[in-house]
Amino acid sequence: DNPELKRVVAKVKAKLGRRIDVLGMDACLMAMAEVAYQVRGAVAVQVGSEELEPGDGWPYAAILAKLAARPSMTARELGSVIVDAYLASYRASDVVTQSALDLARIVDLRPAVDGLPRALAEGCADPATLLAIVRARRSTQHYDTKDYVDLAHLCERLEAAGAGEAIGDACGIVRGAIEAAVIASGSKGGAVANSRGIAIYFPEGSVSPLYAKLDFAKQGGWDRFLDTYRKALVG
């Protein structure tokens, strides 16, 4: 799980005597704000997918050939290489996403996100604003696990829904932080066309009790908004 992952990469960092340059997540649904924030202390760049990954996974031969040809490339450059090679290895009709994240900037994203749950929680008290939030959430890019949504697209949908000035201002701050944190991202397939590189947990039903154990929840206000939102929906 995520707390265990944090402990593992911390031990690797201790043995290396420095941060891990690139943590490659050749797995499904890992390009999330919560996952990236969990490993921020031990990793420079994280690469992963917002959506499920096909069984073929990463094209390691293509990635390692580029690294072998230029071993002096930076972690950020390697992150971009992985994203490009991964997307190039799939057909236009495949449904795939991939993104490289600068975890130094993920540290800035977490406090940037804090203003959004405060504005959203206040908006839940107003029926018209709550309806706008619900409509925005339901039209936001989601993934195989429907509780996971693209954070930047959520902000775009909230702004388009006219959820209010406070929410709109908070969304602008979040989108700026996402742009700074995403080194490279891309997608193929219409089903994931609104992917921007970082997903976030946003269930419309009950919140997993495990969520509170994550650093992102402990140090921010997103989990409290999720509780407020659920209670507002059930009346």
Side-chain angles (χ1 to χ4, degrees):
D1 59 20
N2 285 301
E4 183 180 22
L5 176 62
K6 178 182 178 179
R7 292 193 295 271
V8 170
V9 295
K11 289 181 179 179
V12 174
K13 177 188 175 184
K15 285 187 176 293
L16 291 175
R18 60 178 179 81
R19 290 177 183 239
I20 300 167
D21 293 319
V22 176
L23 178 61
M25 302 285 205
D26 189 359
C28 302
L29 307 165
M30 299 303 287
M32 298 190 69
E34 293 88 347
V35 176
Y37 194 72
Q38 195 73 19
V39 300
R40 70 199 182 282
V43 176
V45 172
Q46 174 185 312
V47 184
S49 173
E50 291 183 89
E51 181 56 289
L52 298 181
E53 281 199 6
D56 288 343
W58 286 18
Y60 287 100
I63 293 167
L64 294 176
K66 291 178 182 294
L67 179 59
R70 191 162 63 89
S72 62
M73 69 173 67
T74 66
R76 288 177 60 93
E77 289 170 336
L78 179 56
S80 292
V81 164
I82 295 170
V83 171
D84 291 344
Y86 178 87
L87 293 171
S89 71
Y90 289 99
R91 299 168 299 180
S93 58
D94 289 328
V95 178
V96 292
T97 63
Q98 195 76 186
S99 56
L101 309 178
D102 183 340
L103 299 202
R105 296 301 184 94
I106 287 292
V107 174
D108 299 327
L109 175 63
R110 205 278 306 155
V113 169
D114 282 354
L116 181 57
R118 285 196 296 270
L120 289 171
E122 291 175 4
C124 286
D126 173 64
T129 304
L130 175 60
L131 180 59
I133 295 170
V134 170
R135 287 175 172 170
R137 165 62 182 83
R138 292 179 180 174
S139 62
T140 295
Q141 175 72 65
H142 66 268
Y143 300 98
D144 184 75
T145 297
K146 292 182 172 54
D147 290 346
Y148 301 166
V149 302
D150 185 88
L151 180 55
H153 193 236
L154 172 64
C155 289
E156 293 172 20
R157 298 310 303 152
L158 286 166
E159 290 169 322
E165 183 176 356
I167 293 174
D169 290 345
C171 283
I173 293 171
V174 172
R175 287 195 294 107
I178 291 170
E179 290 173 6
V182 175
I183 299 167
S185 71
S187 65
K188 285 186 174 179
V192 291
N194 289 307
S195 299
R196 309 285 189 263
I198 301 177
I200 195 167
Y201 179 61
F202 192 168
E204 293 193 281
S206 59
V207 178
S208 169
L210 299 176
Y211 192 70
K213 296 182 178 182
L214 301 182
D215 288 359
F216 192 85
K218 290 178 181 177
Q219 299 177 21
W222 189 253
D223 60 328
R224 292 189 291 276
F225 156 66
L226 293 177
D227 186 58
T228 300
Y229 181 72
R230 181 186 63 82
K231 290 176 180 177
L233 290 183
V234 300

